[in-house]
Amino acid sequence: MLIHLKNVLGPQELSKVQELLVDANYVDGKLSAGLVASQVKNNQELASGDPKIDALNNIVMGNLVRHKVYKRAALPLKIASPFYVCYQQGMHYGEHIDDPVMGASDLADQRYRSDLALTIFLNQPDEYQGGELSIQTDYGLQLIKYAAGDAVMYPATTRHQVAEVTSGKRLVAVTWVQSLIKDTEQRALLYQLSCAREKLLRKQAGEEHTKQVDLVYVNLVRKWSEL
Ligand code: NI
């Protein structure tokens, strides 16, 4: 299930983020890549100790974790510190699959399973040519290039790539989520059910059928959650 998260960042937040990134000190993205990814990864990202990262995280991650659709669709347990990535002209990220477990390997409490991958678009699609994120799904290839401030969330189990940027530059933040719900299908079912529950709770709060749907949803989350 691909989820389009709209307006994770508003215009003011985007301009603050873009201001922080304008003279950013990028390093080769291969430095953070695993064995397979390093052979196909050709982009730049802020180094992990970059002093701008805290300010960026306050805006980007602060908004993401408050986003209602994100919360319902991800049912997050842990979220990774994101990478702020720049694709200059000629850069791309060839087909790969994300590592299943990420985080500092010597610190057990910082490790997380990557159930979901997220790309947050930080500049407008007409500011660069190419650069589409393509994701192989059961229903064919999906090409994603969203408006600045929007994000896509997709199962990290998929093969995906970023097409070459042929002009301009593509700015994104990428991160991963460990969900309370490990199983992709269960998570998708819960998301569908949560959409119905949300509407019922808003429009028919006192009805018996609303209470039944609410009870089923809440108890399925309890039954399927892994902490
Ligand atoms: Ni990836």
Side-chain angles (χ1 to χ4, degrees):
M1 189 172 56
L2 304 188
I3 303 279
H4 183 169
L5 302 173
K6 293 187 183 162
N7 302 313
V8 174
L9 302 171
Q12 286 183 344
E13 289 135 351
L14 269 173
S15 52
K16 277 189 218 152
V17 166
Q18 288 168 357
E19 210 173 294
L20 283 161
L21 291 175
V22 83
D23 56 352
N25 198 6
Y26 290 107
V27 297
D28 188 342
K30 283 191 201 308
L31 294 172
S32 68
L35 177 64
V36 179
S38 67
Q39 294 164 1
V40 292
K41 191 174 184 183
N42 174 16
N43 60 18
Q44 301 176 319
E45 56 203 24
L46 287 191
S48 59
D50 193 291
K52 291 186 173 183
I53 285 181
D54 281 350
L56 287 163
N57 283 350
N58 277 340
I59 305 170
V60 176
M61 301 304 277
N63 276 271
L64 175 66
V65 299
R66 285 193 296 270
H67 195 279
K68 282 190 176 140
V69 179
Y70 161 76
K71 288 197 276 189
R72 288 217 318 265
L75 292 170
L77 174 63
K78 295 181 185 176
I79 186 156
S81 182
F83 288 102
Y84 293 93
V85 189
C86 175
Y87 289 78
Q88 308 270 7
Q89 188 176 334
M91 293 184 173
H92 73 288
Y93 196 159
E95 187 188 288
H96 66 280
I97 181 162
D98 296 338
D99 285 342
V101 179
M102 302 191 192
S105 56
D106 48 344
L107 295 167
D109 62 341
Q110 289 189 13
R111 306 209 85 192
Y112 59 92
R113 189 184 59 236
S114 58
D115 295 321
L116 291 159
L118 270 144
T119 297
I120 305 156
F121 294 84
L122 301 179
N123 65 340
Q124 293 295 355
D126 60 5
E127 292 177 54
Y128 55 96
Q129 299 289 314
E132 295 83 3
L133 170 64
S134 67
I135 304 169
Q136 294 189 23
T137 74
D138 291 345
Y139 307 102
L141 204 61
Q142 301 286 323
L143 292 180
I144 314 279
K145 189 171 177 178
Y146 289 160
D150 285 9
V152 62
M153 183 161 70
Y154 58 99
T157 50
T158 52
R159 288 197 283 179
H160 51 271
Q161 60 187 308
V162 177
E164 183 179 328
V165 170
T166 54
S167 71
K169 67 179 166 188
R170 173 186 189 263
L171 300 174
V172 293
V174 296
T175 189
W176 294 268
V177 171
Q178 177 174 341
S179 176
L180 286 164
I181 312 296
K182 182 179 177 182
D183 185 271
T184 302
E185 278 179 38
Q186 288 179 338
R187 199 183 318 113
L189 288 169
L190 286 175
Y191 177 62
Q192 296 283 324
L193 187 57
S194 77
C195 294
R197 169 181 179 256
E198 182 94 351
K199 281 208 180 88
L200 288 168
L201 286 173
R202 240 184 290 122
K203 293 183 178 166
Q204 302 174 35
E207 300 284 345
E208 182 61 18
H209 58 251
T210 301
K211 293 176 187 173
Q212 287 169 334
V213 168
D214 185 40
L215 180 135
V216 170
Y217 174 77
V218 168
N219 284 327
L220 281 177
V221 173
R222 195 191 326 270
K223 191 178 173 69
W224 290 343
S225 286
E226 292 178 51
L227 292 165

